[in-house]
Amino acid sequence: MNDATLLIYSILKRALISGTPLLLGTLGEIYTERSGVLNLGIEGLMAIGAISGFGITYATGNIFLGFIFAILFGIGLSLIHAFISITLKGNQTISGLALTMFGLGVSGFWGKAYIGKSISIRIKEIEIFVLNKIPFLGDLIFKNDIIIYTSWILTFLLWFILYKTKWGIIIRSCGENPLASDSMGVNVNLVRYISVMIGGALSGLAGAYLSLVYTPMWIEGMTGGRGWIVIALTIFSLWNPSRAVLGAYLFGGIYILQYILQLRYKISPNLLLMLPYFVTLIVLLLSAEETIKKRIGAPKFLGEPYIKEEK
Amino acid sequence: MILVERRKTFTPIQNFLLIIIFIFLSLIISSSIFTLKGLNPFYVLSKILLSSFGSLYGIKETITKSIPLILCGVGLSIAFKGKFWNIGAEGQLLIGAVVATWFGLFIGKDLPSFILIPTLFILGFIGGGLIGLIPAFLKVKFNINEVITTLMLNYIIENFVSYLVYGPWKGKTQYGFPYTDNLPQNALLPIIKGSRIHYPTLIIGVILAFLVYLLLFKTKIGYEIRVVGENPLAAKYSGIDFLKVTLFIMFLSGGLAGIAGVGELTGIHKHLTYPFQISSGYGYTSIIVAWLAGLNPLVVIFSSLFFGGILVGGDIIQTSFGFPFATINIFNGLMLFFISASYFFVNYRVRFVRVKHE
């Protein structure tokens, strides 16, 4: 590889890695929102995933245990949101904000002991036989860590379930028309619980990817607003897993672009740090136009608790 | 078994009791987390309460911290009343401080106090208000979720302030710290002796709480705001102009946070510095302050005092037990969880009844 291709290669590679937590989180939020529940607590769930993954890995020396516990903690915390928004029919916006505050609080409290500490364990890159021999693309696509492969499989799987199976119809109908689904014998609340938990699991995993792979050391507030970008990406993806990939890697690229601009053009890092948030606003504007044009909006009953009519 | 029944009425006294229960439960749960660190939760709790309300010094500090909370909390009450989810008070506060720094340091530094200080407050109000208009416009014109836009603006503004204090506005006299030069003496607010209470801001906050209360409950625009918030469909049919109402509430909401920023700058810090040091999370805390007050601007004064105390207590446990600042968010998050669940307790009654065996 010459200098130029090496640069492009390393940009794409890093974009892939920094896009992965965004992709995972977005996939989860797509399911949550499709079932009719708005979860604004992704930032908190990612923070919990990041600290539990880091803490468990640090204590046990086993990185996969770290990932598993991050998923479990993500599910556990998302259940609070599910309980409030589904069973208690509470205000989902406030509950989501609460989840974010609580998650950030717990991660700060728990993480205090780990500040500045790093883990030496890395997950190995897996090379896929033969395909890794393809020039350029081989190294880029077929030589990655298992979480990246998992995120691709999940993207396909979640897309397939949502659009090609009966389960997918059921999940979507709970967000579009819970009353009708209920009369068809669907347990709306159960479907919503499961969807929120899927979101919690994926956000937990996303957080652990941040603290175990992306930056394998503990920094307080290491989620850095990514949870909110996930929510914007969910809108950008028009609630479709296959479009989530596009948005996630685009944003992954923006995180990398910051470093390049800073090193090459000596632009103030503080100005560059504004970039992802600016682009989020622009992306929201663009997707607003698209949702109007394509007539694909948010699930109709997003954010509305389902209340059975009383006799 | 557990029986859930729909409630017919819910009195203000029941509401008050509910809030007390919320606070109590949040305290119990968050303090049980302290036991994980091997600390006696009652000791931690008493430390929090004694440090904020148990001494003259503590009370002074509590009042100091409640000043920005009153202003931001009242502002957020207006926005939330109109069901606009303004999460951006943090950034709007910072903009107030930025505008005040700009004018106080570069433009009006030779003006006498009685002109300069009111000018700073007015400019801070306009600055915060204008920033508040951006998400309002995006929401009404393009249906863009305001939670995300207000939050993104927070992050953008925080980085912008960092850019200013590390870059073009870095003070010549500050030994390389990321501070602007100190504001001139005539831009600084008077304080109550022996405290950090910058009373002009406090007075402005309390007066504005009253004015906003009157606005919300005694005027036509206040009525429109409430209709938009409570029944958007009815608002649409009765011809209420959404754009006008939304822009109005967000200009006011952002403006009040901007005033808080001027107060923090000219009453406490005296120069612009690290964004978090200026805003200290007041913008986020005031979300809870507003909800805990049931979005009533007058009650906000009291919930601000309560949360001012929690913040002071938080500072103390931070220094004496070595807890990170984020710890306070555990309590804040729990409070918000209970508030979000309160619909259920307001509308339903849960009873435990014994099943009779026959």
Side-chain angles (χ1 to χ4, degrees), chain A residues 84 88-91 93-95 97-98 101-102 105-106 108-109 112 220 225 228 231 268 270-271 273-274 277 288 310, chain B residues 6 33 37 85 87 142 148-149 151-152 155-156 159 162-163 284 291 322-324 326 329-330 333 336-337 340-341 343-344:
Chain A
I84 290 175
L88 296 184
K89 304 164 187 71
N91 187 316
T93 303
I94 311 181
S95 169
L97 291 173
M101 282 189 187
F102 185 75
V106 171
F109 182 69
K112 171 87 182 187
E220 205 187 321
W228 298 104
I231 291 161
S268 151
N270 297 113
L271 287 182
L273 282 170
M274 295 153 86
Y277 312 115
E310 275 159 57
Chain B
R6 208 166 238 289
I33 291 171
K37 289 260 159 166
W85 297 99
I87 316 297
F142 301 100
I148 307 174
T149 48
L151 258 158
M152 292 300 112
Y155 287 116
I156 290 170
N159 284 305
S162 293
Y163 163 73
Y284 297 114
W291 281 107
F323 290 172
N329 275 326
I330 299 175
L336 265 188
F337 275 133
S340 58
Y343 168 86
F344 184 78

Short mmCIF file of all heavy atoms in Angstrom, two decimals, chain A residues 84 88-91 93-95 97-98 101-102 105-106 108-109 112 220 225 228 231 268 270-271 273-274 277 288 310, chain B residues 6 33 37 85 87 142 148-149 151-152 155-156 159 162-163 284 291 322-324 326 329-330 333 336-337 340-341 343-344:
data_model
loop_
_atom_site.label_atom_id
_atom_site.label_comp_id
_atom_site.label_asym_id
_atom_site.label_seq_id
_atom_site.Cartn_x
_atom_site.Cartn_y
_atom_site.Cartn_z
N ILE A 84 -41.63 1.43 34.18
CA ILE A 84 -42.28 2.75 34.30
C ILE A 84 -43.13 3.05 33.07
O ILE A 84 -44.28 3.47 33.18
CB ILE A 84 -41.23 3.85 34.52
CG1 ILE A 84 -40.62 3.71 35.91
CG2 ILE A 84 -41.86 5.24 34.35
CD1 ILE A 84 -39.49 4.65 36.19
N LEU A 88 -46.45 1.03 34.50
CA LEU A 88 -46.99 2.18 35.23
C LEU A 88 -47.51 3.27 34.30
O LEU A 88 -48.05 4.27 34.76
CB LEU A 88 -45.93 2.77 36.17
CG LEU A 88 -45.44 1.87 37.30
CD1 LEU A 88 -44.48 2.64 38.19
CD2 LEU A 88 -46.59 1.34 38.13
N LYS A 89 -47.33 3.07 32.99
CA LYS A 89 -47.82 4.05 31.99
C LYS A 89 -47.30 5.45 32.27
O LYS A 89 -48.00 6.45 32.10
CB LYS A 89 -49.35 4.06 31.98
CG LYS A 89 -49.94 2.68 31.72
CD LYS A 89 -51.41 2.62 32.09
CE LYS A 89 -51.96 1.23 31.99
NZ LYS A 89 -51.45 0.32 33.05
N GLY A 90 -46.08 5.51 32.74
CA GLY A 90 -45.49 6.79 33.13
C GLY A 90 -45.01 7.59 31.94
O GLY A 90 -45.16 7.17 30.79
N ASN A 91 -44.42 8.73 32.23
CA ASN A 91 -43.93 9.62 31.19
C ASN A 91 -42.58 9.11 30.67
O ASN A 91 -41.59 9.09 31.38
CB ASN A 91 -43.79 11.03 31.76
CG ASN A 91 -43.45 12.02 30.70
OD1 ASN A 91 -42.60 11.78 29.85
ND2 ASN A 91 -44.13 13.15 30.72
N THR A 93 -40.51 10.26 28.35
CA THR A 93 -39.42 11.22 28.17
C THR A 93 -38.67 11.43 29.48
O THR A 93 -37.45 11.35 29.53
CB THR A 93 -39.97 12.56 27.65
OG1 THR A 93 -40.68 12.32 26.44
CG2 THR A 93 -38.86 13.55 27.38
N ILE A 94 -39.44 11.66 30.56
CA ILE A 94 -38.79 11.88 31.85
C ILE A 94 -38.07 10.62 32.31
O ILE A 94 -36.95 10.68 32.79
CB ILE A 94 -39.79 12.32 32.93
CG1 ILE A 94 -40.69 13.44 32.42
CG2 ILE A 94 -39.08 12.78 34.18
CD1 ILE A 94 -41.68 13.90 33.46
N SER A 95 -38.72 9.48 32.13
CA SER A 95 -38.10 8.23 32.57
C SER A 95 -36.79 7.98 31.82
O SER A 95 -35.80 7.53 32.40
CB SER A 95 -39.07 7.07 32.35
OG SER A 95 -38.41 5.85 32.53
N LEU A 97 -34.79 10.30 30.53
CA LEU A 97 -33.79 11.23 31.07
C LEU A 97 -33.27 10.73 32.41
O LEU A 97 -32.09 10.81 32.71
CB LEU A 97 -34.40 12.62 31.24
CG LEU A 97 -34.75 13.38 29.97
CD1 LEU A 97 -35.51 14.65 30.30
CD2 LEU A 97 -33.49 13.70 29.19
N ALA A 98 -34.21 10.18 33.21
CA ALA A 98 -33.83 9.64 34.51
C ALA A 98 -32.83 8.51 34.34
O ALA A 98 -31.83 8.43 35.06
CB ALA A 98 -35.07 9.14 35.25
N MET A 101 -29.43 9.97 33.63
CA MET A 101 -28.79 10.53 34.84
C MET A 101 -28.32 9.41 35.75
O MET A 101 -27.19 9.42 36.23
CB MET A 101 -29.78 11.39 35.59
CG MET A 101 -29.97 12.76 34.98
SD MET A 101 -30.96 13.79 36.07
CE MET A 101 -31.19 15.21 35.00
N PHE A 102 -29.22 8.44 35.98
CA PHE A 102 -28.91 7.35 36.90
C PHE A 102 -27.70 6.55 36.40
O PHE A 102 -26.77 6.27 37.15
CB PHE A 102 -30.14 6.45 37.06
CG PHE A 102 -29.97 5.37 38.07
CD1 PHE A 102 -30.01 5.67 39.43
CD2 PHE A 102 -29.79 4.06 37.68
CE1 PHE A 102 -29.86 4.66 40.37
CE2 PHE A 102 -29.64 3.05 38.62
CZ PHE A 102 -29.68 3.36 39.96
N GLY A 105 -24.59 8.49 36.73
CA GLY A 105 -24.24 8.58 38.14
C GLY A 105 -23.57 7.31 38.64
O GLY A 105 -22.50 7.35 39.25
N VAL A 106 -24.22 6.18 38.34
CA VAL A 106 -23.66 4.90 38.81
C VAL A 106 -22.30 4.64 38.17
O VAL A 106 -21.36 4.20 38.84
CB VAL A 106 -24.64 3.74 38.51
CG1 VAL A 106 -23.99 2.39 38.78
CG2 VAL A 106 -25.91 3.88 39.34
N GLY A 108 -20.13 6.80 37.14
CA GLY A 108 -19.12 7.67 37.75
C GLY A 108 -18.71 7.17 39.12
O GLY A 108 -17.54 7.16 39.47
N PHE A 109 -19.70 6.73 39.89
CA PHE A 109 -19.47 6.26 41.25
C PHE A 109 -18.63 4.98 41.25
O PHE A 109 -17.63 4.86 41.95
CB PHE A 109 -20.83 6.03 41.91
CG PHE A 109 -20.76 5.58 43.33
CD1 PHE A 109 -20.33 6.46 44.31
CD2 PHE A 109 -21.14 4.30 43.69
CE1 PHE A 109 -20.27 6.05 45.64
CE2 PHE A 109 -21.08 3.90 45.01
CZ PHE A 109 -20.65 4.77 45.98
N LYS A 112 -14.94 5.35 39.71
CA LYS A 112 -13.95 6.18 40.41
C LYS A 112 -12.64 5.42 40.68
O LYS A 112 -11.55 5.95 40.50
CB LYS A 112 -14.58 6.66 41.73
CG LYS A 112 -13.62 7.35 42.66
CD LYS A 112 -13.52 8.83 42.37
CE LYS A 112 -12.50 9.42 43.32
NZ LYS A 112 -12.35 10.80 43.34
N GLU A 220 -13.89 8.83 32.90
CA GLU A 220 -15.25 9.18 33.30
C GLU A 220 -15.96 9.90 32.16
O GLU A 220 -15.35 10.72 31.46
CB GLU A 220 -15.26 10.05 34.56
CG GLU A 220 -16.59 9.90 35.29
CD GLU A 220 -16.75 10.85 36.45
OE1 GLU A 220 -15.76 11.08 37.15
OE2 GLU A 220 -17.88 11.34 36.62
N GLY A 225 -21.90 11.55 24.97
CA GLY A 225 -23.03 11.97 24.15
C GLY A 225 -23.37 11.02 23.02
O GLY A 225 -24.26 11.28 22.22
N TRP A 228 -26.98 9.93 22.69
CA TRP A 228 -27.92 10.86 22.05
C TRP A 228 -27.79 10.81 20.55
O TRP A 228 -28.77 10.96 19.82
CB TRP A 228 -27.70 12.27 22.59
CG TRP A 228 -27.95 12.30 24.05
CD1 TRP A 228 -27.02 12.36 25.05
CD2 TRP A 228 -29.22 12.21 24.70
NE1 TRP A 228 -27.64 12.31 26.27
CE2 TRP A 228 -28.99 12.23 26.08
CE3 TRP A 228 -30.53 12.10 24.24
CZ2 TRP A 228 -30.01 12.15 27.01
CZ3 TRP A 228 -31.55 12.03 25.16
CH2 TRP A 228 -31.28 12.05 26.53
N ILE A 231 -29.85 8.08 19.27
CA ILE A 231 -31.27 8.39 19.11
C ILE A 231 -31.51 9.18 17.82
O ILE A 231 -32.47 8.93 17.09
CB ILE A 231 -31.79 9.14 20.35
CG1 ILE A 231 -31.80 8.16 21.52
CG2 ILE A 231 -33.19 9.67 20.12
CD1 ILE A 231 -31.83 8.82 22.85
N SER A 268 -8.26 23.98 16.09
CA SER A 268 -8.44 23.84 17.53
C SER A 268 -9.27 22.59 17.86
O SER A 268 -10.34 22.39 17.29
CB SER A 268 -9.16 25.07 18.08
OG SER A 268 -9.91 24.72 19.22
N ASN A 270 -11.05 21.96 20.34
CA ASN A 270 -12.36 22.30 20.90
C ASN A 270 -13.39 22.56 19.80
O ASN A 270 -14.55 22.18 19.93
CB ASN A 270 -12.27 23.51 21.81
CG ASN A 270 -11.39 23.23 23.01
OD1 ASN A 270 -10.33 23.81 23.14
ND2 ASN A 270 -11.81 22.30 23.86
N LEU A 271 -12.94 23.21 18.74
CA LEU A 271 -13.87 23.44 17.63
C LEU A 271 -14.21 22.12 16.95
O LEU A 271 -15.36 21.87 16.59
CB LEU A 271 -13.25 24.39 16.61
CG LEU A 271 -13.19 25.87 17.02
CD1 LEU A 271 -12.61 26.71 15.89
CD2 LEU A 271 -14.56 26.38 17.41
N LEU A 273 -14.31 19.20 18.28
CA LEU A 273 -15.18 18.37 19.12
C LEU A 273 -16.66 18.70 18.90
O LEU A 273 -17.53 17.91 19.24
CB LEU A 273 -14.82 18.56 20.60
CG LEU A 273 -13.58 17.81 21.08
CD1 LEU A 273 -13.18 18.26 22.47
CD2 LEU A 273 -13.80 16.31 21.05
N MET A 274 -16.92 19.89 18.34
CA MET A 274 -18.30 20.26 18.07
C MET A 274 -18.85 19.50 16.87
O MET A 274 -20.06 19.43 16.67
CB MET A 274 -18.41 21.76 17.80
CG MET A 274 -18.07 22.63 18.99
SD MET A 274 -17.46 24.25 18.48
CE MET A 274 -18.91 25.17 18.28
N TYR A 277 -21.73 16.79 16.91
CA TYR A 277 -23.03 17.32 17.33
C TYR A 277 -23.63 18.20 16.24
O TYR A 277 -24.84 18.18 16.01
CB TYR A 277 -22.87 18.06 18.64
CG TYR A 277 -22.08 17.26 19.65
CD1 TYR A 277 -20.84 17.69 20.12
CD2 TYR A 277 -22.56 16.04 20.10
CE1 TYR A 277 -20.10 16.93 21.01
CE2 TYR A 277 -21.82 15.26 20.98
CZ TYR A 277 -20.59 15.73 21.44
OH TYR A 277 -19.87 14.96 22.30
N ALA A 288 -35.41 14.77 8.25
CA ALA A 288 -36.75 15.36 8.35
C ALA A 288 -37.35 15.53 6.96
O ALA A 288 -38.50 15.19 6.72
CB ALA A 288 -36.69 16.70 9.07
N GLU A 310 -61.15 0.58 29.80
CA GLU A 310 -61.72 0.00 31.01
C GLU A 310 -63.19 -0.29 30.82
O GLU A 310 -63.88 0.40 30.11
CB GLU A 310 -61.50 0.96 32.18
CG GLU A 310 -60.13 0.73 32.79
CD GLU A 310 -59.67 1.93 33.57
OE1 GLU A 310 -60.40 2.32 34.49
OE2 GLU A 310 -58.59 2.45 33.25
N ARG B 6 -59.00 2.75 39.72
CA ARG B 6 -58.88 4.12 39.24
C ARG B 6 -59.30 5.07 40.35
O ARG B 6 -60.26 4.84 41.07
CB ARG B 6 -59.77 4.33 38.02
CG ARG B 6 -59.23 5.40 37.11
CD ARG B 6 -59.93 5.33 35.78
NE ARG B 6 -59.00 5.12 34.66
CZ ARG B 6 -58.17 6.05 34.22
NH1 ARG B 6 -58.10 7.23 34.77
NH2 ARG B 6 -57.35 5.80 33.21
N ILE B 33 -26.75 2.52 48.03
CA ILE B 33 -25.59 2.34 47.15
C ILE B 33 -24.29 2.65 47.91
O ILE B 33 -23.25 2.04 47.66
CB ILE B 33 -25.74 3.21 45.88
CG1 ILE B 33 -26.87 2.63 45.05
CG2 ILE B 33 -24.45 3.28 45.08
CD1 ILE B 33 -27.30 3.46 43.88
N LYS B 37 -19.97 0.68 49.28
CA LYS B 37 -18.60 1.16 49.52
C LYS B 37 -18.23 1.01 51.00
O LYS B 37 -17.27 1.61 51.45
CB LYS B 37 -18.48 2.63 49.10
CG LYS B 37 -18.53 2.83 47.60
CD LYS B 37 -17.15 3.01 47.00
CE LYS B 37 -17.20 2.68 45.52
NZ LYS B 37 -16.09 3.09 44.74
N TRP B 85 -39.84 19.89 25.27
CA TRP B 85 -38.84 19.24 26.13
C TRP B 85 -37.50 19.95 26.00
O TRP B 85 -36.60 19.48 25.33
CB TRP B 85 -38.71 17.77 25.78
CG TRP B 85 -39.95 17.02 26.02
CD1 TRP B 85 -40.89 16.66 25.11
CD2 TRP B 85 -40.43 16.54 27.29
NE1 TRP B 85 -41.92 15.99 25.72
CE2 TRP B 85 -41.67 15.90 27.05
CE3 TRP B 85 -39.94 16.60 28.60
CZ2 TRP B 85 -42.42 15.32 28.06
CZ3 TRP B 85 -40.68 16.03 29.61
CH2 TRP B 85 -41.91 15.40 29.34
N ILE B 87 -34.13 20.51 27.07
CA ILE B 87 -33.08 19.91 27.92
C ILE B 87 -31.84 20.79 27.81
O ILE B 87 -30.75 20.41 28.22
CB ILE B 87 -32.79 18.46 27.49
CG1 ILE B 87 -34.07 17.69 27.21
CG2 ILE B 87 -32.00 17.69 28.55
CD1 ILE B 87 -34.99 17.53 28.40
N PHE B 142 -39.83 21.58 11.12
CA PHE B 142 -39.39 20.33 10.53
C PHE B 142 -39.72 19.12 11.39
O PHE B 142 -39.32 18.01 11.08
CB PHE B 142 -37.87 20.36 10.26
CG PHE B 142 -37.46 21.46 9.35
CD1 PHE B 142 -36.91 22.63 9.86
CD2 PHE B 142 -37.62 21.34 7.98
CE1 PHE B 142 -36.53 23.66 9.02
CE2 PHE B 142 -37.24 22.36 7.14
CZ PHE B 142 -36.69 23.52 7.64
N ILE B 148 -33.21 16.03 21.38
CA ILE B 148 -31.89 15.86 20.76
C ILE B 148 -31.28 17.22 20.39
O ILE B 148 -30.11 17.46 20.68
CB ILE B 148 -31.98 14.97 19.51
CG1 ILE B 148 -32.68 13.66 19.87
CG2 ILE B 148 -30.60 14.69 18.95
CD1 ILE B 148 -32.94 12.78 18.69
N THR B 149 -32.09 18.10 19.78
CA THR B 149 -31.50 19.37 19.35
C THR B 149 -31.01 20.20 20.54
O THR B 149 -29.91 20.75 20.50
CB THR B 149 -32.50 20.22 18.54
OG1 THR B 149 -33.73 20.26 19.24
CG2 THR B 149 -32.72 19.64 17.17
N LEU B 151 -30.04 19.14 23.39
CA LEU B 151 -28.85 18.49 23.95
C LEU B 151 -27.61 18.69 23.08
O LEU B 151 -26.52 18.97 23.59
CB LEU B 151 -29.10 17.00 24.08
CG LEU B 151 -29.41 16.58 25.50
CD1 LEU B 151 -30.14 15.27 25.49
CD2 LEU B 151 -28.13 16.47 26.31
N MET B 152 -27.79 18.55 21.78
CA MET B 152 -26.66 18.75 20.87
C MET B 152 -26.14 20.18 21.02
O MET B 152 -24.93 20.42 21.00
CB MET B 152 -27.07 18.50 19.42
CG MET B 152 -27.40 17.06 19.08
SD MET B 152 -26.04 15.92 19.33
CE MET B 152 -26.63 14.95 20.68
N TYR B 155 -23.82 20.44 23.97
CA TYR B 155 -22.47 19.96 23.69
C TYR B 155 -21.70 20.96 22.82
O TYR B 155 -20.52 21.22 23.02
CB TYR B 155 -22.52 18.60 22.97
CG TYR B 155 -22.93 17.45 23.86
CD1 TYR B 155 -24.10 16.75 23.63
CD2 TYR B 155 -22.14 17.06 24.93
CE1 TYR B 155 -24.48 15.68 24.44
CE2 TYR B 155 -22.50 16.01 25.75
CZ TYR B 155 -23.67 15.31 25.49
OH TYR B 155 -24.04 14.27 26.29
N ILE B 156 -22.41 21.51 21.82
CA ILE B 156 -21.75 22.46 20.92
C ILE B 156 -21.29 23.70 21.71
O ILE B 156 -20.15 24.15 21.59
CB ILE B 156 -22.71 22.86 19.78
CG1 ILE B 156 -22.92 21.67 18.84
CG2 ILE B 156 -22.16 24.06 19.00
CD1 ILE B 156 -24.02 21.87 17.80
N ASN B 159 -18.30 23.11 24.06
CA ASN B 159 -17.02 23.10 23.34
C ASN B 159 -16.65 24.49 22.84
O ASN B 159 -15.47 24.83 22.78
CB ASN B 159 -17.07 22.10 22.18
CG ASN B 159 -16.95 20.68 22.66
OD1 ASN B 159 -16.00 20.33 23.36
ND2 ASN B 159 -17.93 19.86 22.35
N SER B 162 -15.10 26.27 25.73
CA SER B 162 -13.72 25.78 25.89
C SER B 162 -12.81 26.43 24.85
O SER B 162 -11.70 26.85 25.16
CB SER B 162 -13.65 24.26 25.69
OG SER B 162 -14.31 23.62 26.72
N TYR B 163 -13.31 26.48 23.62
CA TYR B 163 -12.52 27.09 22.55
C TYR B 163 -12.17 28.54 22.91
O TYR B 163 -11.03 28.96 22.78
CB TYR B 163 -13.30 27.02 21.24
CG TYR B 163 -12.78 27.94 20.17
CD1 TYR B 163 -11.58 27.67 19.51
CD2 TYR B 163 -13.49 29.10 19.82
CE1 TYR B 163 -11.10 28.52 18.53
CE2 TYR B 163 -13.01 29.96 18.84
CZ TYR B 163 -11.81 29.67 18.21
OH TYR B 163 -11.33 30.52 17.26
N TYR B 284 -29.22 20.75 34.00
CA TYR B 284 -29.83 19.42 34.09
C TYR B 284 -30.60 19.27 35.40
O TYR B 284 -31.70 18.74 35.43
CB TYR B 284 -28.76 18.33 33.97
CG TYR B 284 -28.06 18.34 32.63
CD1 TYR B 284 -26.71 18.64 32.53
CD2 TYR B 284 -28.77 18.08 31.45
CE1 TYR B 284 -26.07 18.68 31.29
CE2 TYR B 284 -28.15 18.11 30.22
CZ TYR B 284 -26.80 18.40 30.15
OH TYR B 284 -26.17 18.44 28.93
N TRP B 291 -39.94 19.76 37.50
CA TRP B 291 -40.95 18.70 37.61
C TRP B 291 -41.38 18.48 39.04
O TRP B 291 -42.56 18.22 39.33
CB TRP B 291 -40.44 17.39 37.00
CG TRP B 291 -40.53 17.42 35.52
CD1 TRP B 291 -39.51 17.54 34.64
CD2 TRP B 291 -41.72 17.37 34.73
NE1 TRP B 291 -39.98 17.57 33.35
CE2 TRP B 291 -41.34 17.45 33.37
CE3 TRP B 291 -43.10 17.25 35.03
CZ2 TRP B 291 -42.25 17.43 32.33
CZ3 TRP B 291 -44.01 17.23 33.98
CH2 TRP B 291 -43.58 17.32 32.66
N GLY B 322 -14.54 11.24 49.01
CA GLY B 322 -13.88 10.99 47.74
C GLY B 322 -14.80 10.45 46.67
O GLY B 322 -14.37 9.74 45.76
N PHE B 323 -16.11 10.75 46.78
CA PHE B 323 -17.02 10.33 45.72
C PHE B 323 -16.86 11.26 44.54
O PHE B 323 -16.62 12.45 44.71
CB PHE B 323 -18.48 10.40 46.19
CG PHE B 323 -18.83 9.37 47.22
CD1 PHE B 323 -20.06 9.41 47.86
CD2 PHE B 323 -17.96 8.34 47.53
CE1 PHE B 323 -20.40 8.47 48.79
CE2 PHE B 323 -18.29 7.39 48.48
CZ PHE B 323 -19.52 7.46 49.11
N PRO B 324 -17.05 10.74 43.32
CA PRO B 324 -17.00 11.65 42.17
C PRO B 324 -18.26 12.51 42.11
O PRO B 324 -19.28 12.16 42.70
CB PRO B 324 -16.94 10.70 40.98
CG PRO B 324 -17.55 9.44 41.45
CD PRO B 324 -17.26 9.35 42.92
N ALA B 326 -20.30 12.87 39.84
CA ALA B 326 -21.42 12.18 39.18
C ALA B 326 -22.36 11.48 40.16
O ALA B 326 -23.50 11.20 39.84
CB ALA B 326 -20.89 11.17 38.17
N ASN B 329 -25.88 12.39 40.56
CA ASN B 329 -26.80 11.99 39.49
C ASN B 329 -27.60 10.74 39.83
O ASN B 329 -28.66 10.50 39.26
CB ASN B 329 -26.04 11.74 38.20
CG ASN B 329 -25.82 13.03 37.43
OD1 ASN B 329 -26.67 13.91 37.47
ND2 ASN B 329 -24.69 13.13 36.77
N ILE B 330 -27.06 9.91 40.73
CA ILE B 330 -27.81 8.72 41.14
C ILE B 330 -29.10 9.17 41.81
O ILE B 330 -30.19 8.71 41.47
CB ILE B 330 -26.97 7.84 42.09
CG1 ILE B 330 -25.70 7.37 41.38
CG2 ILE B 330 -27.80 6.65 42.58
CD1 ILE B 330 -24.76 6.60 42.27
N GLY B 333 -31.39 10.95 39.22
CA GLY B 333 -32.05 9.98 38.34
C GLY B 333 -33.21 9.29 39.04
O GLY B 333 -34.29 9.17 38.49
N LEU B 336 -36.21 11.51 39.33
CA LEU B 336 -36.91 11.61 38.04
C LEU B 336 -37.69 10.34 37.72
O LEU B 336 -38.78 10.41 37.17
CB LEU B 336 -35.92 11.91 36.92
CG LEU B 336 -35.72 13.37 36.53
CD1 LEU B 336 -34.86 13.45 35.28
CD2 LEU B 336 -37.04 14.07 36.27
N PHE B 337 -37.12 9.19 38.08
CA PHE B 337 -37.86 7.94 37.88
C PHE B 337 -39.20 8.01 38.60
O PHE B 337 -40.24 7.69 38.04
CB PHE B 337 -37.08 6.74 38.43
CG PHE B 337 -36.08 6.17 37.48
CD1 PHE B 337 -34.79 5.88 37.88
CD2 PHE B 337 -36.44 5.89 36.16
CE1 PHE B 337 -33.87 5.34 37.01
CE2 PHE B 337 -35.52 5.35 35.28
CZ PHE B 337 -34.23 5.08 35.71
N SER B 340 -41.56 10.38 36.90
CA SER B 340 -42.15 9.87 35.66
C SER B 340 -43.19 8.81 35.94
O SER B 340 -44.11 8.61 35.16
CB SER B 340 -41.06 9.33 34.74
OG SER B 340 -40.34 8.31 35.39
N ALA B 341 -43.07 8.14 37.07
CA ALA B 341 -44.05 7.11 37.41
C ALA B 341 -45.26 7.69 38.12
O ALA B 341 -46.24 6.99 38.34
CB ALA B 341 -43.39 6.03 38.28
N TYR B 343 -47.68 9.59 37.37
CA TYR B 343 -48.98 9.52 36.70
C TYR B 343 -49.81 8.37 37.26
O TYR B 343 -51.00 8.50 37.53
CB TYR B 343 -48.76 9.34 35.20
CG TYR B 343 -50.00 8.97 34.42
CD1 TYR B 343 -50.86 9.96 33.94
CD2 TYR B 343 -50.32 7.63 34.17
CE1 TYR B 343 -52.00 9.62 33.24
CE2 TYR B 343 -51.45 7.29 33.47
CZ TYR B 343 -52.29 8.28 33.01
OH TYR B 343 -53.42 7.93 32.33
N PHE B 344 -49.12 7.26 37.41
CA PHE B 344 -49.80 6.05 37.87
C PHE B 344 -50.39 6.24 39.26
O PHE B 344 -51.54 5.90 39.52
CB PHE B 344 -48.79 4.90 37.88
CG PHE B 344 -49.39 3.57 38.24
CD1 PHE B 344 -50.13 2.86 37.31
CD2 PHE B 344 -49.22 3.05 39.51
CE1 PHE B 344 -50.69 1.64 37.63
CE2 PHE B 344 -49.77 1.82 39.83
CZ PHE B 344 -50.50 1.11 38.90
#
